[in-house]
Amino acid sequence: MDSAMLASLILLTVKADPRTSIPVLIANIRNQMEYTPSYRKAWIVKQKALEKMHSGWDTSYNKIWQWCQVLERYIPGCITDLQTEPAYYNDQLLRGCQVFKRLFWSFKQCRDAFAYCKPLVQIDGTFMYGRYTHRLLLAVAQDGNGRILPIAFAITPGESADDWDFFLFRLRIHVCPQPDICVISDRGTGILAAIERQRSLWHRTHHQYCLRHIASNYYRQYPSKGERRQVANMGI
């Protein structure tokens, strides 16, 4: 009853719905084998089943270059920009070997729609989950009815000045080269440093605080829900 054997047992179930919960998989194994694995073992079994479906993490990262080619070929106007760096093992350079560093992409449909949106861009980043803890950087716009339109994406190692510079430089060139754009963010140190760099294309734009972040920071210091709403309403 090792995890590899159990992974083969639940493979069809996970293929049908990769979001199948661990308790459901435990019940599935119990019904078939009259054996009840622990939650942890069932979780490991599911990861191995997913790996059988999609190959391992390293294999998936090796397919990113092909994924970019497929996007550009089958989605007309899609822009991808993959950045790699030399690979090292025990401080020794592996000649002819490159590893993933950053990726930017944007869809033509979103870029075309941005021309009819408000002249503002909201940028933020969020954690990614899994073996590699990268960040997903995102730029969104708003139409006249306040509906959200994602216009550009990037995967980066973190939210350093270099990471934001990679994203913002390509965002400005490919998506929103218009003058007098307003940028809304949490004004994190990485974002500010990237915008203030000499080569930055964002010097002549307007940069404002995100009120949601202001309200969250205020609530963290002064935990009053009523005051938090008032702080958020100040920008309306």
Side-chain angles (χ1 to χ4, degrees):
M1 293 293 179
D2 64 5
S3 57
M5 188 273 284
L6 294 177
S8 300
L9 189 69
I10 66 166
L11 185 58
L12 292 178
T13 302
V14 176
K15 275 186 176 180
D17 184 5
R19 295 173 298 180
T20 302
S21 67
I22 301 301
V24 170
L25 293 177
I26 291 174
N28 186 312
I29 294 170
R30 184 170 54 243
N31 291 336
Q32 295 188 66
M33 306 299 295
E34 296 185 356
Y35 163 72
T36 304
S38 66
Y39 189 97
R40 173 176 171 74
K41 186 169 184 177
W43 183 88
I44 294 173
V45 167
K46 182 179 180 180
Q47 302 311 305
K48 290 194 174 183
L50 290 171
E51 188 168 322
K52 285 178 179 287
M53 292 167 50
H54 304 296
S55 301
W57 286 98
D58 293 339
T59 303
S60 295
Y61 268 78
N62 287 336
K63 291 180 179 178
I64 288 179
W65 181 74
Q66 294 173 309
W67 181 77
C68 292
Q69 288 188 313
V70 169
L71 279 181
E72 294 186 358
R73 180 176 180 179
Y74 293 101
I75 305 179
C78 181
I79 294 172
T80 66
D81 191 339
L82 174 63
Q83 188 179 82
T84 61
E85 61 183 352
Y88 289 85
Y89 181 73
N90 290 336
D91 296 328
Q92 296 294 318
L93 175 66
L94 300 179
R95 297 188 181 277
C97 183
Q98 295 282 315
V99 295
F100 173 86
K101 189 171 185 181
R102 301 182 180 97
L103 173 65
F104 171 92
W105 73 97
S106 175
F107 300 106
K108 182 178 185 297
Q109 298 88 337
C110 298
R111 300 196 304 276
D112 291 346
F114 179 64
Y116 304 96
C117 291
K118 301 173 186 177
L120 63 84
V121 176
Q122 297 168 273
I123 57 175
D124 203 356
T126 187
F127 292 94
M128 296 180 66
Y129 298 96
R131 180 176 173 183
Y132 301 103
T133 54
H134 285 70
R135 302 292 192 278
L136 173 65
L137 306 186
L138 178 69
V140 301
Q142 281 188 12
D143 66 10
N145 293 320
R147 292 175 293 192
I148 300 299
L149 172 71
I151 56 177
F153 312 83
I155 296 175
T156 61
E159 294 189 54
S160 67
D162 288 340
D163 294 324
W164 278 109
D165 181 65
F166 171 85
F167 179 58
L168 291 173
F169 183 78
R170 287 154 182 80
L171 176 66
R172 190 68 163 147
I173 289 178
H174 298 302
V175 184
C176 49
Q178 302 92 326
D180 296 325
I181 290 286
C182 177
V183 182
I184 300 176
S185 75
D186 63 357
R187 294 177 66 89
T189 55
I191 295 175
L192 293 178
I195 288 178
E196 292 170 0
R197 286 187 172 180
Q198 186 173 358
R199 79 162 197 155
S200 172
L201 302 177
W202 296 88
H203 288 159
R204 297 184 179 180
T205 57
H206 309 284
H207 196 186
Q208 304 297 330
Y209 280 105
C210 170
L211 277 170
R212 189 188 70 80
H213 284 92
I214 293 177
S216 295
N217 293 337
Y218 183 91
Y219 183 70
R220 197 175 299 120
Q221 186 71 25
Y222 307 103
S224 168
K225 292 183 179 179
E227 292 180 7
R228 182 182 181 180
R229 284 193 294 269
Q230 291 176 1
V231 171
N233 291 336
M234 286 168 54
I236 298 177

